[in-house]
Amino acid sequence: STRMDELAKIRAEQAKRFAAEKKKGNTASTASSSSTPIAKKGKVICGKYFVDPPRQITMKDMEALMSVYVRVAPQKEAYVQKLQLDQDSAEFFQSFMVRAGFAMQRFGLMYGRFNEKDKMVTVDCIYEPKQESTAHGFEEHAVDPMQDTVNLLAKRLGLIPVGWIFSHRPDRGDYVLSAKEVLKTAELAAKHGPHCCVVSVSNLEGTTQTDFNPWQVSQQIVEIYKEGTLSPNPKEEHLIHSERELEAVQEDTDKAGKAHVVREATNDVDTTLVTVPVPITAGKSEWRNRFGRLNRPDHKPTLSGDVKNVLQSRSNEPFWQILSDFHLLICLLEAGVLDIDQDIPSVVKAIKQKDEAMVAAIKKKVVAATGASSSTGPRPARAPSGPSQNAIQQVVSICQCSAQEAENLLLATDGNVEKAIELM
C-alpha cells in the first residue's frame, strides 16, 4: 500500500503539471482510449510513460513504479473476500447452456452490491447484452440499444456493476481465464472499481452438471491495462501481450525442495500469473429474476405472451411485488410501456414501501398494453387428463423450460402454476 501511495503522489504531481501545460497548449492529444501515443517530449520512467516527466525522482519513487509497471508478480489474495451469487440468476444463466448442450456460449453483466467492510460482492442480477453465441465463444455487439437503460435501471434499484459472467467449453485449454477474459475483467475494474469479479461457468465434461468459478485479476494488471499497452496474444489464448517488456516474477521450487524466485523478461504474460480465485456462496436476491431474458436467441419475451402470463399467474400478488422482477422491468422498458425517468422512481418507491396505491396508474398502463385482465381470480383448474396447455405455456414462458419439464412440475404441484414456478 505504501508503494501505491507513493505512486498516487507522483500521479497527482504529474496531473498538476499536465493541467498547467495544457493551458499553455503544450500537451499532445491522444488518438484513442485504447492506446497511448508517445509524445516527443514524453519519457518512460521505470516502465511508466509520463507526458510531462517529473524533474526529480527518488529511489523510493522508482521502486514504487517498478513494482507496478515492470515486475508482474502474483497477487497473494483477491481484493474481494467472498462473492455471493443469486441462485435464480445463476440457474437461468446455466439453464440456457444446458438446454443447448453447451453448444452455445453466453456472457452477462453482473449488478449487485459491494460491502467495503467485509469485502463481499453480492450479485443480485445478470443482464445478457446483445451478442452472437457460438459453440466456442461469444461476440458482443458493438451497440446494445438497451445497455444505458439497464445501467440506469440498476442504479435506480440501488445496484452497481460488480463484474461479468461467461460460459465456456470444458475442453478449451489448461487455463482458467484467457487473455481476452482477463482484459475484459481489467476493463470493468478500471471503470467501476477493484471490487469487479468475473465468474466462469462450464459443464463437467460429458455431463450437464455446471461449475461456477469466480476470479479477480490482479490490481497490478489493471494499472498496466490503463496504459493501453496490453492485448491478447494472437496465437496463444492464455498469453497477454505487452507492447513493452515486462519482468515476470514467480516463486518456484528446485529439486531439493528449496523455494526460490524466478524472474523472466518477456512481452507475453501468462494469465495464471494475474488471476486470483474468489470464494463463492449461493444467495437470494431481494429482486426477482424469473422473467425471460431479453436477448436470448431462442426466445424474445412479448407483452401479449410472456408479460400477460406473468400477470395472470401472479394475479393474487400485489402489483408492486409483480414489478419487483429485474427482467420484467427491462422488458417493459424496452417495449416502451414504462419510462425510466417517469415510472421507475415510483416503482422503486412502491416496492420499498410496499404501497399498492403508488403503482395504480402504472398497473393500468401495463394491463392495457398486454390485454390482461386487471381483476384477480382463481387459478385455471387442472383438466382431468393432466395440466392444461395454458398452464404449461405459462410455466414455459416464465421458467424458460421445455413443455415436458413444465408438465412434470405442474403434475408435482397438482396443477398450481405459481407453486410450479417457485419449484423450478
Side-chain angles (χ1 to χ4, degrees):
S1 61
T2 302
R3 290 176 176 175
M4 295 302 291
D5 291 341
E6 292 295 328
L7 181 60
K9 291 179 182 179
I10 294 172
R11 284 181 177 165
E13 292 171 1
Q14 189 269 339
K16 290 179 181 178
R17 287 192 294 272
F18 181 82
E21 289 298 315
K22 187 175 181 181
K23 289 182 179 180
K24 299 176 184 178
N26 295 334
T27 56
S29 60
T30 54
S32 70
S33 59
S34 60
S35 62
T36 306
I38 304 299
K40 291 181 180 180
K41 294 182 180 180
K43 188 177 181 181
V44 175
I45 301 176
C46 301
K48 170 64 177 175
Y49 171 72
F50 290 91
V51 174
D52 186 13
R55 293 181 181 180
Q56 292 183 343
I57 186 167
T58 66
M59 287 299 294
K60 195 174 183 180
D61 293 336
M62 291 177 68
E63 180 63 26
L65 288 168
M66 289 282 288
S67 68
V68 175
Y69 291 101
V70 176
R71 300 191 192 112
V72 180
Q75 187 171 302
K76 291 185 178 180
E77 62 179 25
Y79 179 79
V80 170
Q81 297 301 301
K82 184 168 68 173
L83 181 141
Q84 182 175 284
L85 182 60
D86 173 61
Q87 288 180 313
D88 285 346
S89 295
E91 170 64 28
F92 262 64
F93 186 79
Q94 64 90 28
S95 65
F96 172 79
M97 268 72 70
V98 171
R99 291 199 305 274
F102 270 83
M104 299 182 78
Q105 308 305 326
R106 300 288 290 173
F107 88 97
L109 299 175
M110 303 189 302
Y111 297 89
R113 292 156 287 152
F114 176 60
N115 186 311
E116 184 71 42
K117 182 180 179 181
D118 298 331
K119 291 291 189 286
M120 185 177 87
V121 163
T122 300
V123 180
D124 286 286
C125 309
I126 298 172
Y127 171 68
E128 298 171 26
K130 280 188 172 292
Q131 58 193 280
E132 297 300 324
S133 300
T134 69
H136 299 284
F138 49 83
E139 198 65 41
E140 183 176 2
H141 284 199
V143 177
D144 180 348
M146 282 299 292
Q147 187 62 69
D148 289 343
T149 301
V150 172
N151 289 342
L152 189 52
L153 172 63
K155 185 177 181 180
R156 294 274 167 84
L157 299 182
L159 308 177
I160 63 172
V162 293
W164 70 299
I165 185 172
F166 72 95
S167 66
H168 66 84
R169 294 171 59 92
D171 58 353
R172 68 172 186 166
D174 189 21
Y175 55 88
V176 295
L177 294 179
S178 69
K180 186 177 179 181
E181 291 150 9
V182 165
L183 296 180
K184 173 73 173 178
T185 309
E187 175 191 356
L188 293 175
K191 185 176 181 181
H192 302 296
H195 62 274
C196 285
C197 300
V198 54
V199 178
S200 61
V201 183
S202 182
N203 64 310
L204 301 177
E205 200 161 4
T207 74
T208 57
Q209 183 178 345
T210 52
D211 210 10
F212 288 75
N213 293 292
W215 309 90
Q216 280 201 294
V217 298
S218 67
Q219 295 180 59
Q220 181 183 30
I221 207 67
V222 175
E223 291 300 320
I224 300 176
Y225 168 83
K226 293 175 183 178
E227 293 182 339
T229 58
L230 301 178
S231 61
N233 182 299
K235 295 182 179 179
E236 299 288 344
E237 290 187 348
H238 67 286
L239 294 180
I240 305 168
H241 180 72
S242 172
E243 292 178 12
R244 60 179 177 79
E245 192 174 82
L246 300 171
E247 183 182 41
V249 182
Q250 297 188 72
E251 289 187 358
D252 201 359
T253 306
D254 58 23
K255 294 181 180 179
K258 187 177 180 180
H260 63 281
V261 176
V262 177
R263 301 175 184 274
E264 178 188 6
T266 181
N267 286 86
D268 294 287
V269 177
D270 196 301
T271 57
T272 57
L273 197 61
V274 298
T275 53
V276 195
V278 177
I280 187 172
T281 183
K284 184 70 175 177
S285 173
E286 63 178 306
W287 303 102
R288 273 179 170 164
N289 288 283
R290 303 300 301 177
F291 190 74
R293 278 33 176 178
L294 183 64
N295 297 315
R296 289 280 175 87
D298 59 342
H299 178 73
K300 179 179 172 62
T302 63
L303 293 174
S304 60
D306 302 79
V307 178
K308 184 177 180 179
N309 285 337
V310 167
L311 298 185
Q312 291 177 340
S313 64
R314 298 176 180 170
S315 60
N316 287 344
E317 296 181 18
F319 197 68
W320 60 262
Q321 189 170 332
I322 295 175
L323 289 177
S324 65
D325 191 305
F326 183 68
H327 299 277
L328 174 60
L329 290 175
I330 291 175
C331 178
L332 294 172
L333 287 166
E334 194 264 348
V337 178
L338 297 185
D339 181 83
I340 190 69
D341 295 314
Q342 295 181 6
D343 297 318
I344 296 302
S346 299
V347 170
V348 173
K349 192 173 181 180
I351 292 172
K352 288 182 177 179
Q353 297 183 9
K354 299 182 179 181
D355 190 332
E356 186 73 358
M358 293 180 111
V359 289
I362 292 174
K363 180 178 181 179
K364 289 182 180 179
K365 286 203 300 183
V366 174
V367 169
T370 61
S373 172
S374 60
S375 61
T376 59
R379 303 275 188 265
R382 179 163 63 95
S385 58
S388 69
Q389 287 301 311
N390 182 46
I392 292 173
Q393 184 56 45
Q394 286 184 51
V395 177
V396 168
S397 298
I398 296 169
C399 296
Q400 297 292 286
C401 60
S402 67
Q404 185 61 57
E405 289 174 326
E407 185 174 357
N408 292 339
L409 286 168
L410 288 163
L411 287 171
T413 57
D414 198 31
N416 188 307
V417 173
E418 187 173 20
K419 287 184 179 179
I421 292 168
E422 292 298 326
L423 182 62
M424 182 65 180

